[in-house]
Amino acid sequence: MIYMDNAATSWPKPPSVIQAMTDYMKNIGANSGRSGHRLAIEAGRIVYETREAVAELFNISDPLRIVFCSNATEALNLAMRGFLKVGDGVITSSIEHNSVMRPLRALEEEGVEVTVVNCSSEGFLEPTDVQTAVKPNTKLIVLNHASNVVGSILPVAEVGKIARENDLVLLVDAAQTAGAYPIDVKAMNIDLLAFTGHKAMYGPQGTGGLYIREGIGLKPLKWGGTGSRSEEERQPDFLPDKYESGTMNIVGLAGLGAGVRFVLSEGIDKIRENEKNLTQKLLDGLLNIEGVTVYGGLDVARQVGLVSFNIESVLPSEVGFQLDEEYEILCRVGLHCAPAAHKTIGTFPIGTVRLSLSHFTTEKEIEETIEAITKIALTSKL
Ligand SMILES: Cc1ncc(COP(=O)(O)O)c(C=O)c1O
């Protein structure tokens, strides 16, 4: 079996992730930040060490400014709902995931003004178009760091500069880059960074989070028990407790910590280089097949490890079915939760076939995948 669906969720996970989760379940199991006994302290240590590892990955000085959430979607909702008020303006791009678009459309119905800046048909964004879209009421810019449909990398650092110059807040959806591409919140002027733990950070499902720069106040998404200031009926005003009500996913965070430590020990530059080489091989192979259209910029320097394509006159769902049934190659087909992105690249409503890599993908797997797609393309012509 060849797993080519890492942009949805990565698999396999490093053995250290499974080990960390098993260790917690077998030997610790207690709640963090609640009771004061030794197991609770151990659980709190695990959560804090995960915070520290994530802080190191994104060059965040204070690990307590990282709020853990159940996924990137929750982190994005917290950022957008917590920050925007009626009458505020927000700028986003035309290749966002529905985890950005749907909360924004809901906020639009409540009186927030949403401006969508068009990307090119390859999925790229011109920073000057963002500058042009700034209005007197604009408060926030929301961008995905890389598209989950074509893999195009957006100019986050350049837009960060524009945000700073215009006194705007920049929220980055790093679901497709966190762990796979270098992110430095300071150098890139990122004010809010939403990440997911279960993709290139190699943690389990149910993990993710939001970095909140000092000086940015958000309304919480939920209120409740935090284990701190128990004497108060009001929510604590300090981070991360203000946004982390309820028992945390400690087993998940144990795994996420191990996943991030795996990324740090491999080295983000090495991971990126490996994925670039694999992506190049995949692009070269696909571009050589007659009847195959590959979307995006076709330039690995500006693309993460995922490739979208279609075979002439074959529906993506049919290609995905054949890859799974006949070749045991697992991928994702359709709209990938990002209809706006498909309208931008011209593949709406049919969508694309998406192959997505991880650090564990091998060259042999890429070769076998190209071979299988070549056969499907050939038989479709008969
Ligand atoms: C660009 C992008 N944003 C947000 C998400 C949502 O991530 P999660 O499923 O962790 O909420 C995804 C997941 O596919 C994504 O690709």
Side-chain angles (χ1 to χ4, degrees):
M1 192 188 74
I2 299 176
Y3 185 80
M4 285 280 184
D5 197 16
N6 291 282
T9 202
S10 62
W11 190 82
K13 307 292 181 189
S16 57
V17 170
I18 297 153
Q19 187 63 47
M21 296 176 76
T22 311
D23 278 352
Y24 168 78
M25 291 305 279
K26 268 170 87 173
N27 305 318
I28 303 170
N31 210 342
S32 61
R34 305 299 197 266
S35 319
H37 54 72
R38 68 192 74 182
L39 291 182
I41 290 167
E42 251 327 85
R45 182 186 57 77
I46 286 174
V47 173
Y48 190 71
E49 283 178 0
T50 301
R51 250 187 254 286
E52 281 185 321
V54 173
E56 187 180 336
L57 185 63
F58 301 139
N59 193 26
I60 294 164
S61 318
D62 180 1
L64 298 178
R65 302 224 54 98
I66 296 161
V67 171
F68 287 125
C69 302
S70 52
N71 44 44
T73 304
E74 191 187 9
L76 288 162
N77 271 272
L78 168 60
M80 291 183 278
R81 288 221 144 251
F83 184 76
L84 290 166
K85 296 183 190 68
V86 172
D88 286 349
V90 50
I91 296 171
T92 193
S93 88
S94 70
I95 55 159
E96 299 301 316
H97 190 275
N98 268 346
S99 292
V100 166
M101 277 303 185
R102 285 182 176 170
L104 283 183
R105 292 302 180 204
L107 282 163
E108 193 172 40
E109 282 170 18
E110 295 167 28
V112 167
E113 190 184 354
V114 179
T115 304
V116 179
V117 175
N118 280 330
C119 293
S120 69
S121 56
E122 285 87 31
F124 294 112
L125 177 78
E126 271 304 324
T128 46
D129 290 345
V130 176
Q131 174 66 64
T132 311
V134 175
K135 298 178 187 167
N137 67 341
T138 306
K139 294 284 182 325
L140 181 70
I141 302 171
V142 189
L143 289 182
N144 58 187
H145 193 185
S147 159
N148 68 312
V149 172
V150 276
S152 51
I153 297 167
L154 271 67
V156 160
E158 288 88 332
V159 175
K161 216 163 148 258
I162 292 171
R164 219 19 66 92
E165 285 161 5
N166 290 272
D167 204 17
L168 305 175
V169 165
L170 173 64
L171 163 63
V172 173
D173 167 7
Q176 292 297 339
T177 49
Y181 188 89
I183 295 177
D184 180 327
V185 294
K186 290 179 203 149
M188 293 169 149
N189 279 327
I190 297 172
D191 301 299
L192 298 162
L193 182 79
F195 60 90
T196 197
H198 62 97
K199 300 186 200 261
M201 293 171 92
Y202 295 104
Q205 288 86 358
T207 59
L210 181 69
Y211 156 70
I212 305 171
R213 182 176 58 75
E214 207 174 339
I216 297 185
L218 305 176
K219 198 170 82 179
L221 265 191
K222 55 193 179 192
W223 292 259
T226 56
S228 54
R229 300 275 156 87
S230 285
E231 73 282 8
E232 296 272 351
E233 288 188 3
R234 294 193 180 276
Q235 191 76 359
D237 203 29
F238 52 86
L239 265 69
D241 301 34
K242 182 173 179 182
Y243 307 107
E244 285 183 350
S245 290
T247 293
M248 301 183 80
N249 175 11
I250 306 168
V251 60
L253 292 174
L256 177 61
V260 176
R261 284 189 289 275
F262 166 79
V263 170
L264 292 169
S265 71
E266 282 292 288
I268 194 90
D269 292 333
K270 182 178 154 198
I271 289 175
R272 169 76 183 136
E273 214 38 49
N274 183 39
E275 279 195 21
K276 260 167 79 177
N277 292 337
L278 293 171
T279 309
Q280 187 69 61
K281 199 172 170 66
L282 185 57
L283 280 175
D284 290 345
L286 289 173
L287 288 167
N288 249 332
I289 307 173
E290 218 190 298
V292 166
T293 305
V294 186
Y295 303 97
L298 314 179
D299 173 8
V300 292
R302 302 174 75 197
Q303 180 163 350
V304 289
L306 69 89
V307 176
S308 254
F309 71 96
N310 271 321
I311 299 178
E312 200 183 331
S313 61
V314 191
L315 282 174
S317 52
E318 178 55 29
V319 177
F321 181 75
Q322 284 194 40
L323 281 173
D324 187 356
E325 278 295 298
E326 289 168 36
Y327 303 96
E328 293 185 57
I329 296 170
L330 315 185
C331 66
R332 183 160 177 198
V333 298
L335 295 175
H336 321 296
C337 298
H342 286 276
K343 286 175 189 161
T344 302
I345 68 166
T347 49
F348 187 83
I350 286 167
T352 57
V353 184
R354 183 184 74 183
L355 301 167
S356 51
L357 321 173
S358 88
H359 196 52
F360 297 107
T361 307
T362 63
E363 293 205 359
K364 187 161 173 287
E365 286 177 324
I366 304 259
E367 282 157 17
E368 287 179 22
T369 304
I370 291 164
E371 222 172 277
I373 295 164
T374 307
K375 285 186 191 150
I376 297 172
L378 262 179
T379 47
S380 74
K381 291 207 175 306
L382 300 177

